[in-house]
Amino acid sequence: MPAGAQVKPRYSAFTPTTAKTIYPLRQLAPGVFVVSGDTGKGVEGRPNAGFIDSPAGVLVVGGLASPVQGDAVVRTIRTRSSRPIRWFVLYAHHPDMQFGAIAMKRAGAGIIAHPDANILAAEGGPDQMVADWDQVVGLQEMLGFEFADVPDRPVTAADTLVLGTRRVVVWHPGDAHSPGDLMLWLPDDRILFAGDVLVEDGVTMVIDGSSRELLRVLEAIEQLHPRVIVPGHGRIAFDPQGLIDTTRGYIAALRAAMRAAVEGGVPMRRALAPLPPADEDRPVSLHSRLRRNANRVYVEMEREVMGLGGDQDSLGGKR
Ligand SMILES: [Zn+2]
Protein backbone atom coordinates (compact mmCIF):
# COMPACT_ATOMS: atom_id res chain seq x y z
CA MET A 1 0.00 0.00 0.00
CA PRO A 2 1.43 3.42 -0.88
CA ALA A 3 2.48 5.10 2.32
CA GLY A 4 -0.27 7.23 3.70
CA ALA A 5 -2.60 6.71 0.75
CA GLN A 6 -5.40 5.09 2.68
CA VAL A 7 -4.45 6.31 6.11
CA LYS A 8 -6.65 8.94 7.61
CA PRO A 9 -4.72 11.14 10.02
CA ARG A 10 -5.38 10.00 13.55
CA TYR A 11 -7.68 12.26 15.50
CA SER A 12 -5.61 13.54 18.38
CA ALA A 13 -7.74 14.42 21.36
CA PHE A 14 -4.93 15.62 23.61
CA THR A 15 -2.47 18.40 22.92
CA PRO A 16 0.98 16.79 22.85
CA THR A 17 3.09 16.60 26.01
CA THR A 18 6.86 16.50 25.69
CA ALA A 19 9.80 16.01 28.05
CA LYS A 20 9.81 19.77 28.63
CA THR A 21 6.12 20.51 29.03
CA ILE A 22 4.96 22.39 32.10
CA TYR A 23 1.19 22.55 32.48
CA PRO A 24 -0.80 25.60 33.53
CA LEU A 25 -1.60 25.80 37.22
CA ARG A 26 -4.48 27.33 39.04
CA GLN A 27 -4.49 27.80 42.80
CA LEU A 28 -7.88 27.20 44.43
CA ALA A 29 -6.86 27.66 48.06
CA PRO A 30 -3.53 27.98 49.88
CA GLY A 31 -1.58 24.89 48.84
CA VAL A 32 -4.38 23.51 46.66
CA PHE A 33 -3.69 23.49 42.92
CA VAL A 34 -5.34 22.32 39.73
CA VAL A 35 -2.97 21.15 37.01
CA SER A 36 -5.16 22.10 34.09
CA GLY A 37 -5.93 19.66 31.32
CA ASP A 38 -6.68 20.89 27.82
CA THR A 39 -8.84 23.95 28.05
CA GLY A 40 -11.29 24.50 25.24
CA LYS A 41 -11.33 20.82 24.25
CA GLY A 42 -14.08 19.93 26.70
CA VAL A 43 -14.44 16.32 27.70
CA GLU A 44 -12.18 15.03 24.93
CA GLY A 45 -9.17 16.98 26.11
CA ARG A 46 -6.39 15.90 28.41
CA PRO A 47 -7.74 15.29 31.92
CA ASN A 48 -7.31 17.61 34.88
CA ALA A 49 -4.95 16.70 37.69
CA GLY A 50 -4.30 18.44 40.96
CA PHE A 51 -2.12 18.47 44.02
CA ILE A 52 -2.08 19.50 47.63
CA ASP A 53 1.15 20.88 48.97
CA SER A 54 1.65 20.57 52.72
CA PRO A 55 4.46 20.39 55.29
CA ALA A 56 3.74 16.65 55.38
CA GLY A 57 4.46 16.35 51.67
CA VAL A 58 2.55 16.51 48.42
CA LEU A 59 -0.57 14.54 47.52
CA VAL A 60 -1.37 14.33 43.81
CA VAL A 61 -4.65 13.40 42.13
CA GLY A 62 -5.23 12.83 38.44
CA GLY A 63 -5.86 12.65 35.41
CA LEU A 64 -2.46 11.37 34.05
CA ALA A 65 -2.99 9.63 30.75
CA SER A 66 0.63 8.60 30.04
CA PRO A 67 4.00 8.37 31.78
CA VAL A 68 5.15 11.47 29.89
CA GLN A 69 2.10 13.35 31.19
CA GLY A 70 2.85 12.06 34.69
CA ASP A 71 6.42 13.39 34.44
CA ALA A 72 5.06 16.73 33.21
CA VAL A 73 2.81 16.92 36.27
CA VAL A 74 5.85 16.26 38.50
CA ARG A 75 7.75 19.04 36.69
CA THR A 76 4.77 21.34 37.11
CA ILE A 77 4.56 20.56 40.85
CA ARG A 78 8.25 21.36 41.17
CA THR A 79 7.61 24.94 40.05
CA ARG A 80 5.71 25.39 43.35
CA SER A 81 7.01 22.85 45.83
CA SER A 82 10.17 20.90 46.52
CA ARG A 83 8.53 18.72 49.16
CA PRO A 84 8.40 14.97 48.69
CA ILE A 85 5.53 13.55 46.67
CA ARG A 86 3.92 11.16 49.14
CA TRP A 87 0.65 10.02 47.61
CA PHE A 88 -1.07 9.65 44.29
CA VAL A 89 -4.85 9.23 44.22
CA LEU A 90 -6.19 7.31 41.24
CA TYR A 91 -9.61 8.58 40.11
CA ALA A 92 -10.48 5.43 38.18
CA HIS A 93 -8.88 2.54 36.34
CA HIS A 94 -9.55 3.98 32.88
CA PRO A 95 -6.39 4.55 30.85
CA ASP A 96 -6.72 8.34 30.83
CA MET A 97 -6.81 8.31 34.61
CA GLN A 98 -4.13 5.73 35.41
CA PHE A 99 -1.56 5.35 32.62
CA GLY A 100 0.68 8.07 34.07
CA ALA A 101 0.57 6.67 37.62
CA ILE A 102 3.98 5.05 37.20
CA ALA A 103 5.57 8.51 37.05
CA MET A 104 4.17 9.27 40.50
CA LYS A 105 5.37 5.95 41.85
CA ARG A 106 8.86 6.64 40.49
CA ALA A 107 8.71 10.08 42.13
CA GLY A 108 8.14 8.31 45.45
CA ALA A 109 4.36 8.31 45.80
CA GLY A 110 2.29 5.55 47.33
CA ILE A 111 -0.76 4.68 45.24
CA ILE A 112 -4.20 5.30 46.73
CA ALA A 113 -6.79 3.49 44.62
CA HIS A 114 -9.98 1.51 44.73
CA PRO A 115 -9.06 -2.14 44.21
CA ASP A 116 -11.84 -2.84 41.68
CA ALA A 117 -10.29 -2.42 38.22
CA ASN A 118 -13.16 -4.05 36.32
CA ILE A 119 -13.85 -1.87 33.24
CA LEU A 120 -14.92 -2.62 29.68
CA ALA A 121 -11.67 -1.20 28.25
CA ALA A 122 -9.76 -3.93 30.10
CA GLU A 123 -11.87 -6.80 28.76
CA GLY A 124 -9.27 -7.77 26.14
CA GLY A 125 -6.59 -8.01 28.83
CA PRO A 126 -3.92 -5.54 29.97
CA ASP A 127 -1.73 -5.83 26.84
CA GLN A 128 -4.67 -5.03 24.60
CA MET A 129 -5.64 -2.07 26.75
CA VAL A 130 -2.09 -0.68 26.47
CA ALA A 131 -1.98 -1.28 22.71
CA ASP A 132 -5.33 0.50 22.29
CA TRP A 133 -4.07 3.42 24.34
CA ASP A 134 -0.87 3.74 22.26
CA GLN A 135 -3.23 4.65 19.44
CA VAL A 136 -4.73 7.45 21.50
CA VAL A 137 -1.72 9.17 23.05
CA GLY A 138 1.02 7.98 20.68
CA LEU A 139 3.95 5.70 21.49
CA GLN A 140 6.15 8.67 22.34
CA GLU A 141 4.03 9.51 25.36
CA MET A 142 3.92 5.89 26.51
CA LEU A 143 7.71 5.54 26.89
CA GLY A 144 8.53 4.02 30.26
CA PHE A 145 5.02 2.71 30.80
CA GLU A 146 4.29 0.23 33.54
CA PHE A 147 1.05 -0.41 35.36
CA ALA A 148 0.96 1.27 38.76
CA ASP A 149 -2.69 0.89 39.66
CA VAL A 150 -2.38 -1.63 42.49
CA PRO A 151 -3.17 0.28 45.67
CA ASP A 152 -0.61 0.67 48.43
CA ARG A 153 -3.53 2.14 50.32
CA PRO A 154 -6.84 0.72 49.08
CA VAL A 155 -10.00 2.76 49.60
CA THR A 156 -13.44 1.21 49.17
CA ALA A 157 -15.54 3.65 51.22
CA ALA A 158 -13.84 6.73 52.66
CA ASP A 159 -10.42 7.42 54.08
CA THR A 160 -9.31 10.67 55.71
CA LEU A 161 -5.70 11.78 55.50
CA VAL A 162 -4.38 14.71 57.47
CA LEU A 163 -1.81 16.75 55.56
CA GLY A 164 -0.42 19.35 57.91
CA THR A 165 -3.57 21.02 59.20
CA ARG A 166 -5.73 20.09 56.21
CA ARG A 167 -8.09 17.12 56.10
CA VAL A 168 -8.31 15.31 52.80
CA VAL A 169 -11.06 12.76 52.29
CA VAL A 170 -10.56 10.09 49.64
CA TRP A 171 -14.05 8.91 48.85
CA HIS A 172 -15.63 6.11 46.84
CA PRO A 173 -19.10 7.53 46.31
CA GLY A 174 -20.54 4.48 44.55
CA ASP A 175 -20.23 2.77 41.17
CA ALA A 176 -21.48 5.75 39.14
CA HIS A 177 -18.84 6.13 36.42
CA SER A 178 -16.92 2.95 37.24
CA PRO A 179 -16.61 0.46 40.10
CA GLY A 180 -13.20 1.92 40.97
CA ASP A 181 -14.22 5.59 41.22
CA LEU A 182 -12.50 7.73 43.81
CA MET A 183 -12.97 11.43 44.47
CA LEU A 184 -11.05 13.85 46.66
CA TRP A 185 -12.97 16.08 49.06
CA LEU A 186 -11.37 18.91 50.99
CA PRO A 187 -13.95 19.71 53.68
CA ASP A 188 -12.11 22.77 55.06
CA ASP A 189 -11.99 24.41 51.63
CA ARG A 190 -15.14 22.75 50.24
CA ILE A 191 -13.32 21.77 47.08
CA LEU A 192 -14.22 18.53 45.29
CA PHE A 193 -11.88 16.84 42.82
CA ALA A 194 -14.56 14.73 41.16
CA GLY A 195 -12.74 12.80 38.45
CA ASP A 196 -14.97 11.60 35.64
CA VAL A 197 -18.03 11.35 37.89
CA LEU A 198 -18.48 14.92 36.65
CA VAL A 199 -17.29 16.33 33.32
CA GLU A 200 -17.62 19.76 31.75
CA ASP A 201 -20.72 19.20 29.62
CA GLY A 202 -22.64 17.03 32.11
CA VAL A 203 -22.56 13.91 29.93
CA THR A 204 -20.79 11.60 32.37
CA MET A 205 -20.04 8.16 30.98
CA VAL A 206 -21.89 5.38 32.79
CA ILE A 207 -20.95 2.41 30.61
CA ASP A 208 -18.81 0.97 33.42
CA GLY A 209 -21.09 2.21 36.18
CA SER A 210 -24.80 2.84 36.34
CA SER A 211 -27.17 5.72 35.77
CA ARG A 212 -29.15 4.90 38.90
CA GLU A 213 -25.98 4.98 40.97
CA LEU A 214 -24.96 8.26 39.33
CA LEU A 215 -28.22 9.89 40.45
CA ARG A 216 -27.58 8.71 44.00
CA VAL A 217 -23.98 9.98 43.90
CA LEU A 218 -25.10 13.39 42.57
CA GLU A 219 -27.37 13.66 45.59
CA ALA A 220 -24.45 12.83 47.89
CA ILE A 221 -22.26 15.45 46.19
CA GLU A 222 -25.03 18.01 46.56
CA GLN A 223 -25.15 17.35 50.31
CA LEU A 224 -21.51 18.38 50.57
CA HIS A 225 -22.29 21.88 49.24
CA PRO A 226 -19.01 22.17 47.37
CA ARG A 227 -17.72 25.65 46.58
CA VAL A 228 -15.70 24.44 43.61
CA ILE A 229 -15.72 21.21 41.60
CA VAL A 230 -12.76 20.12 39.52
CA PRO A 231 -14.19 17.76 36.89
CA GLY A 232 -12.24 14.95 35.25
CA HIS A 233 -12.11 16.87 31.98
CA GLY A 234 -12.88 20.43 31.03
CA ARG A 235 -13.22 23.68 32.87
CA ILE A 236 -13.39 24.05 36.63
CA ALA A 237 -16.95 24.46 37.91
CA PHE A 238 -17.21 27.53 40.10
CA ASP A 239 -20.97 27.01 39.95
CA PRO A 240 -21.01 23.42 41.20
CA GLN A 241 -24.79 23.27 41.48
CA GLY A 242 -25.06 24.13 37.79
CA LEU A 243 -22.86 21.19 36.83
CA ILE A 244 -24.72 18.84 39.19
CA ASP A 245 -28.09 19.97 37.76
CA THR A 246 -26.94 19.63 34.14
CA THR A 247 -25.65 16.12 34.79
CA ARG A 248 -28.79 15.09 36.64
CA GLY A 249 -31.04 16.56 33.96
CA TYR A 250 -29.25 14.65 31.23
CA ILE A 251 -29.17 11.31 33.02
CA ALA A 252 -32.75 11.53 34.32
CA ALA A 253 -34.06 12.32 30.82
CA LEU A 254 -32.06 9.47 29.32
CA ARG A 255 -33.40 7.03 31.92
CA ALA A 256 -36.96 8.19 31.27
CA ALA A 257 -36.58 7.84 27.50
CA MET A 258 -34.99 4.40 27.68
CA ARG A 259 -37.50 3.19 30.24
CA ALA A 260 -40.37 4.32 28.01
CA ALA A 261 -38.79 2.49 25.08
CA VAL A 262 -38.35 -0.73 27.05
CA GLU A 263 -41.88 -0.56 28.44
CA GLY A 264 -43.24 0.16 24.97
CA GLY A 265 -41.43 -2.81 23.48
CA VAL A 266 -39.24 -0.59 21.29
CA PRO A 267 -36.05 -2.47 20.37
CA MET A 268 -32.76 -0.86 21.35
CA ARG A 269 -31.70 -0.05 17.81
CA ARG A 270 -34.89 1.93 17.23
CA ALA A 271 -34.70 3.58 20.65
CA LEU A 272 -31.22 4.85 19.79
CA ALA A 273 -32.05 5.87 16.23
CA PRO A 274 -32.88 9.52 17.02
CA LEU A 275 -29.40 10.06 18.46
CA PRO A 276 -26.66 11.49 16.25
CA PRO A 277 -24.26 8.83 14.97
CA ALA A 278 -21.20 8.10 17.11
CA ASP A 279 -17.97 9.66 15.84
CA GLU A 280 -15.70 6.99 14.49
CA ASP A 281 -12.27 7.04 16.23
CA ARG A 282 -13.55 9.46 18.84
CA PRO A 283 -14.96 7.26 21.60
CA VAL A 284 -15.51 10.12 24.03
CA SER A 285 -16.81 12.81 21.67
CA LEU A 286 -20.21 14.11 22.77
CA HIS A 287 -22.06 12.09 20.12
CA SER A 288 -20.18 8.93 20.99
CA ARG A 289 -20.85 9.35 24.71
CA LEU A 290 -24.56 10.00 24.12
CA ARG A 291 -24.86 6.80 22.13
CA ARG A 292 -22.74 4.58 24.38
CA ASN A 293 -24.61 5.78 27.46
CA ALA A 294 -27.99 5.26 25.81
CA ASN A 295 -26.99 1.71 24.97
CA ARG A 296 -25.95 1.06 28.54
CA VAL A 297 -28.99 2.72 30.10
CA TYR A 298 -31.36 0.80 27.81
CA VAL A 299 -29.93 -2.44 29.22
CA GLU A 300 -30.18 -1.05 32.73
CA MET A 301 -33.85 -0.21 32.14
CA GLU A 302 -34.54 -3.69 30.79
CA ARG A 303 -33.24 -5.07 34.07
CA GLU A 304 -35.18 -2.57 36.16
CA VAL A 305 -38.40 -3.21 34.26
CA MET A 306 -37.91 -6.95 34.62
CA GLY A 307 -37.56 -6.33 38.36
CA LEU A 308 -33.94 -7.38 38.46
CA GLY A 309 -32.94 -4.06 40.01
CA GLY A 310 -30.53 -1.60 38.54
CA ASP A 311 -27.69 -1.87 40.96
CA GLN A 312 -24.50 -3.66 40.20
CA ASP A 313 -24.89 -6.45 42.75
CA SER A 314 -28.02 -7.71 41.06
CA LEU A 315 -26.35 -7.93 37.65
CA GLY A 316 -24.55 -11.07 38.69
CA GLY A 317 -20.90 -10.24 38.54
CA LYS A 318 -18.89 -9.00 35.59
CA ARG A 319 -20.42 -6.96 32.87
ZN1 LIG B 1 -11.52 10.51 31.66
Side-chain angles (χ1 to χ4, degrees):
M1 188 169 82
Q6 305 292 326
V7 183
K8 201 168 64 163
R10 183 171 61 83
Y11 175 78
S12 185
F14 302 156
T15 53
T17 297
T18 71
K20 288 187 175 158
T21 303
I22 293 193
Y23 295 133
L25 273 179
R26 177 149 190 172
Q27 186 163 359
L28 295 180
V32 180
F33 296 88
V34 176
V35 180
S36 299
D38 287 323
T39 48
K41 290 190 146 205
V43 183
E44 280 188 285
R46 188 169 50 75
N48 294 313
F51 69 94
I52 293 142
D53 184 27
S54 83
V58 178
L59 177 143
V60 187
V61 63
L64 315 170
S66 68
V68 170
Q69 288 185 20
D71 287 339
V73 170
V74 173
R75 256 193 315 279
T76 305
I77 291 169
R78 290 296 170 234
T79 66
R80 295 301 179 108
S81 174
S82 55
R83 288 165 171 151
I85 296 176
R86 294 254 187 250
W87 295 109
F88 175 63
V89 179
L90 203 76
Y91 276 138
H93 289 274
H94 293 127
D96 68 324
M97 291 305 181
Q98 67 135 315
F99 275 16
I102 186 65
M104 291 302 148
K105 198 167 170 173
R106 287 180 184 138
I111 306 293
I112 301 178
H114 192 291
D116 191 339
N118 179 28
I119 52 166
L120 287 169
E123 271 191 339
D127 291 348
Q128 189 59 50
M129 182 159 72
V130 174
D132 291 346
W133 199 243
D134 285 348
Q135 303 292 313
V136 177
V137 293
L139 281 173
Q140 205 58 36
E141 275 203 26
M142 287 293 280
L143 285 175
F145 174 79
E146 278 179 58
F147 278 95
D149 61 331
V150 177
D152 297 302
R153 183 167 177 148
V155 177
T156 54
D159 186 7
T160 302
L161 287 82
V162 180
L163 297 178
T165 55
R166 180 180 271 117
R167 292 172 299 155
V168 174
V169 182
V170 181
W171 179 33
H172 172 64
D175 304 354
H177 168 67
S178 81
D181 290 345
L182 290 182
M183 306 199 294
L184 201 66
W185 169 238
L186 311 184
D188 306 317
D189 313 278
R190 303 205 350 264
I191 295 169
L192 181 71
F193 287 85
D196 282 346
V197 172
L198 289 165
V199 291
E200 177 179 305
D201 61 13
V203 182
T204 299
M205 289 261 264
V206 294
I207 59 164
D208 283 317
S210 96
S211 64
R212 173 194 277 197
E213 194 67 359
L214 179 58
L215 289 179
R216 201 187 57 73
V217 167
L218 291 175
E219 200 100 340
I221 292 172
E222 207 164 34
Q223 298 302 314
L224 297 174
H225 299 290
R227 182 173 62 83
V228 183
I229 291 179
V230 180
H233 300 257
R235 63 175 177 267
I236 299 168
F238 292 101
D239 167 27
Q241 193 61 46
L243 181 57
I244 293 166
D245 290 343
T246 306
T247 309
R248 181 188 285 130
Y250 157 66
I251 215 75
L254 176 59
R255 283 174 58 87
M258 292 302 115
R259 176 175 273 274
V262 168
E263 285 175 344
V266 177
M268 187 197 284
R269 201 154 54 92
R270 199 139 53 80
L272 269 57
L275 291 171
D279 296 301
E280 207 189 323
D281 303 330
R282 291 174 61 187
V284 297
S285 75
L286 177 61
H287 289 176
S288 298
R289 276 179 286 132
L290 289 172
R291 199 160 265 276
R292 295 169 78 193
N293 275 345
N295 192 305
R296 164 73 191 169
V297 172
Y298 184 97
V299 175
E300 243 187 282
M301 291 304 117
E302 279 184 321
R303 292 183 163 128
E304 287 191 17
V305 167
M306 285 189 287
L308 296 174
D311 57 296
Q312 198 198 356
D313 290 342
S314 66
L315 300 184
K318 284 196 168 192
R319 291 179 301 272

